[in-house]
């Protein structure tokens, strides 16, 4: 049996100056940002805020300067991410492009794609969606049916993507498309990734309401949409391999254990300096788990920077991290007898209400718990 590879490390001391810089920025930009606003976490969307982050040099931080990046370390990027998440800053607009679309283009894109898109992403002005899931293909991603057929100097796309976060607001989608018919004998063959302009003729974007009535994800229907061949990312047929490596970026970051931090901070402040025994035990446990998850996630940032593929470990961090986040509202309700209500004056009640309705999705987005555990078992050689 193979073992997990976590080489636990602390953030270098020199990142602390950057941390203070980020805190000062957040203090200026989001003064008095309430807990119920912070609760949206990396779901909060503000193109204006993303552009301000771009001006600070905090988007595309690790990318080469020739593509508009800043050649900073993965640890420096980590500090910026955790401060943004702790402050509940509205980072959703650039989050996906910074986390995975940009790195995908750096690894597999053409020089022309890198020069065209990366500087705009790093400025915090160009936003991407993930076009993987479909009506009948979520966990079983290899079964995607949206097809791209050769047409002149490009491709004609037909089909439907589902649950596409922010497609109604973003500029582009990286779509996983079927460029050859499904072959049951080799399910992973015949898939290719494309950059699709979401304003293209033939695309219809319909919002879907979540449990809380909010609209952040969509159904995206393609009818004879033309995508030029220069928007293909990587070789035809390499989509599965590319998506698999992209998912390590998607699953390993601090957003996989900090999405409910606004409520934990409220909990700590309600418990006060002299908490009862139960509050001390429960909050103590939450904080110590947070510290462990953080160290595991930092170890993954280091592996990604070293060019390693920590797919198994990323799946573990996401599974443990989302299980952790999902516990927080339940514990909050157990500790303090305050009814969750988004209409209440009380910030705690509003934050609790929002997160109670949202946390169930944390173990679905980015890969479900069962699927992650399957990946972990396979990675360890158990299946
Ligand atoms: C808030 C949110 C945002 C999202 N944003 C995006 C996005 O931007 N882009 C995008 O492409 N997708 C997005 N998704 C979709 C997400 O990736 C899928 O919901 C997820 O992959 C699960 O797929 P599914 O919904 O089709 O469920 P299914 O695959 O139908 O799964 C249903 C249930 O069956 C279980 N199951 C399935 N297969 C197995 C198996 N082999 N073994 C054991 N159990 C199994 C699952 O664990 C789950 O509990 C988003 C989802 C959410 C909730």
């Amino acid at each position: 049996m193979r073992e997990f590879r976590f080489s636990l490390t602390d953030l270098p001391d020199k990142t602390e100056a950057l941390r203070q810089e980020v805190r000062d920025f957040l203090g200026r930009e989001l003064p008095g940002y309430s807990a119920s606003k912070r609760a949206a976490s990396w779901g909060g969307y503000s193109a204006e805020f993303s552009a301000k982050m771009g001006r600070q040099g905090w988007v595309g931080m690790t990318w080469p300067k020739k593509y508009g990046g800043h050649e900073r370390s993965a640890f420096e990027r980590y500090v910026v991410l955790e401060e943004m998440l702790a402050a509940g800053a509205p980072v959703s607009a650039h989050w996906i492009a910074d986390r995975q679309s940009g790195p995908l283009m750096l690894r597999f894109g053409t020089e022309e794609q890198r020069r065209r898109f990366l500087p705009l992403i790093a400025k915090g002005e160009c936003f991407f969606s993930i076009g993987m899931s479909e009506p009948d293909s979520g966990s079983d991603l290899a079964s995607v049916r949206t097809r791209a057929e050769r047409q002149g100097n490009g491709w004609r796309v037909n089909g439907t993507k589902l649950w596409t976060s922010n497609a109604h607001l973003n500029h582009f989608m990286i779509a996983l498309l079927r460029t050859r018919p499904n072959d049951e004998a080799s399910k992973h063959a015949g898939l290719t990734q494309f950059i699709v302009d979401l304003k293209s003729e033939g695309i219809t974007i319909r919002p879907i309401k979540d449990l809380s009535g909010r609209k952040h994800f969509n159904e995206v229907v393609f009818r004879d949409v033309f995508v030029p061949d220069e928007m293909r990312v990587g070789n035809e047929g390499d989509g599965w391999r590319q998506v698999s490596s992209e998912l390590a970026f998607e699953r390993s970051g601090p957003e996989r254990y900090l999405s409910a931090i606004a409520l934990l901070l409220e909990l700590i402040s309600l418990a006060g300096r002299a908490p009862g025994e139960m509050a001390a035990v429960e909050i103590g446990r939450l904080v110590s788990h947070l510290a462990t998850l953080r160290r595991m996630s930092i170890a993954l940032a280091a592996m990604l920077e070293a060019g390693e593929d920590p797919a198994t470990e990323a799946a573990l961090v996401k599974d443990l991290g989302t299980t952790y986040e999902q516990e927080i509202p339940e514990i909050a309700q157990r500790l303090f007898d305050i009814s969750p209500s988004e209409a209440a004056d009380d910030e705690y009640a509003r934050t609790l209400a929002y997160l109670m309705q949202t946390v169930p999705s944390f173990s679905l987005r980015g890969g479900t718990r069962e699927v992650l555990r399957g990946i972990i078992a396979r990675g360890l050689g158990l299946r």
Side-chain angles (χ1 to χ4, degrees), residues 45-312:
Y45 195 106
S46 163
E48 198 190 346
F49 187 82
S50 290
K52 283 183 182 167
M53 278 192 63
R55 286 199 285 280
Q56 293 292 319
W58 294 338
V59 183
M61 284 179 78
T62 59
W63 306 348
K65 287 189 176 158
K66 67 172 174 172
Y67 302 128
H70 303 280
E71 299 185 5
R72 300 189 80 163
S73 71
F75 298 123
E76 288 174 296
R77 177 171 181 269
Y78 202 92
V79 163
V80 173
L81 297 188
E82 63 180 4
E83 287 304 318
M84 291 295 153
L85 293 165
V91 290
S92 183
H94 67 270
W95 197 262
I96 302 297
D98 177 67
R99 179 181 74 189
Q100 64 196 84
S101 322
L104 180 85
M105 279 183 247
L106 268 177
R107 283 189 74 182
F108 304 111
T110 63
E111 186 59 17
E112 195 190 330
Q113 287 165 1
R114 293 185 194 129
R115 292 203 178 270
R116 174 172 170 194
F117 293 108
L118 297 181
L120 285 174
I121 295 175
K123 277 187 175 172
E125 293 176 3
C126 184
F127 310 135
F128 277 70
S129 289
I130 304 168
M132 294 191 194
S133 309
E134 297 189 3
D136 297 313
S137 310
S139 303
D140 183 17
L141 201 53
S143 67
V144 298
R145 287 192 305 208
T146 299
R147 62 188 194 284
E149 291 161 317
R150 280 274 183 196
Q151 186 187 50
N153 59 351
W155 303 78
R156 190 164 44 98
V157 180
N158 281 286
T160 303
K161 290 288 171 186
L162 198 60
W163 315 122
T164 319
S165 297
N166 297 329
H168 58 308
L169 301 168
N170 289 348
H171 305 101
F172 295 94
M173 165 200 278
I174 304 245
L176 180 67
L177 304 177
R178 180 157 293 290
T179 42
R180 267 175 274 155
N182 197 356
D183 173 4
E184 276 305 316
S186 66
K187 278 179 69 175
H188 298 159
L191 298 171
T192 308
Q193 285 184 297
F194 291 87
I195 301 167
V196 179
D197 184 339
L198 285 165
K199 301 283 178 305
S200 305
E201 200 178 323
I203 292 186
T204 309
I205 300 173
R206 295 196 196 101
I208 306 169
K209 276 190 197 163
D210 75 5
L211 196 64
S212 70
R214 291 177 175 82
K215 295 175 188 169
H216 48 87
F217 46 25
N218 301 271
E219 178 191 62
V220 182
V221 180
F222 296 75
R223 261 194 214 102
D224 288 330
V225 175
F226 181 74
V227 179
D229 191 48
E230 63 254 28
M231 297 290 240
R232 174 168 45 82
V233 183
N235 295 324
E236 194 271 323
D238 278 356
W240 182 259
R241 183 174 64 89
Q242 293 175 193
V243 158
S244 308
S245 76
E246 185 182 331
L247 288 172
F249 287 93
E250 184 172 350
R251 292 174 175 158
S252 59
E255 70 271 34
R256 298 306 182 186
Y257 60 89
L258 286 176
S259 319
I261 188 77
L263 185 58
L264 177 59
L265 294 175
E266 285 300 285
L267 206 53
I268 291 170
S269 104
L270 258 186
R273 294 208 162 265
E277 193 186 337
M278 201 164 126
V281 168
E282 296 274 31
I283 294 173
R285 193 171 65 81
L286 286 175
V287 172
S288 59
H289 283 193
L290 181 68
T292 309
L293 285 163
R294 178 173 186 262
R295 295 199 74 187
M296 292 169 81
S297 176
I298 291 171
L300 290 190
M303 285 169 80
L304 285 168
E305 169 142 290
E308 292 172 45
D309 179 12
T312 309

